[in-house]
Structure formats: structure tokens, C-alpha cells
Amino acid sequence: MLVARAVNSAPPWLGRLPSGRSQVSTFHLLRLADESGVSGIGWVAEGAVFSNGWVVLVWPTGTPSLNFYESLEAVEAVHGHGGLTRIVFDQDMPA
């Protein structure tokens, strides 16, 4: 595994993202009501949005799963349940 180590003369690009890229944004799914009776209510999933818009979603349950989506809109279309599940970005959550 390659591990970056701090050195006295770090290259100027170190610490900056490549052009056109942004930091990965993390979020949680907050389910207000569980129509299916499967996931329950509350914080039901964890996710991340990458620079290219792709989303990964993890369901940390007794039988965990990992899903990939082309966009947040796709996540909302599948898991939003008409507003009963909300995407809450970690940066917007109280500490």
C-alpha cells in the first residue's frame, strides 16, 4: 500500500485536488416513516458523492449491502419514498 508521508519539501500539488475535482461529500439517509417495514426509521444508510456525481450508499444493517447510483437524484428516486426519506449531508448536521 502506498502511503503519503509529510516531508519538508512537499511538492506544490500536494494538498490540492486535481482540476475539475471536488472533495467527496458524505451524507446519511434519514427515514421519517418506514412504509415497507424493512429499514426502520431514523438514520438508515450512509453515503458519499464523488467528483463525477456517482454515489455509493451503504446500509449498515444485520445484512449490510452496498449500492452504486449515477446521481443523488437516482438515490432519491429509489429511496426517497415521496419525501419520507431525506438526504442529509454531514456538513449540515449539528456537531
Side-chain angles (χ1 to χ4, degrees), residues 28-31 39-46 58-61 85:
H28 284 76
L29 289 187
L30 175 59
R31 180 144 300 149
S39 301
I41 59 171
W43 303 106
V44 295
E46 304 167 348
V58 176
W59 298 86
T61 64
T85 302

Side-chain angles (χ1 to χ4, degrees), residues 33-74:
D34 185 12
E35 292 181 320
S36 67
V38 175
S39 301
I41 59 171
W43 303 106
V44 295
E46 304 167 348
V49 183
F50 296 90
S51 294
N52 62 1
W54 274 84
V55 178
V56 63
L57 193 61
V58 176
W59 298 86
T61 64
T63 51
S65 62
L66 177 71
N67 307 111
F68 296 93
Y69 301 88
E70 287 190 72
S71 66
L72 275 175
E73 292 78 17

Side-chain angles (χ1 to χ4, degrees), residues 11-17:
W13 51 264
L14 188 63
R16 289 194 321 251
L17 292 171

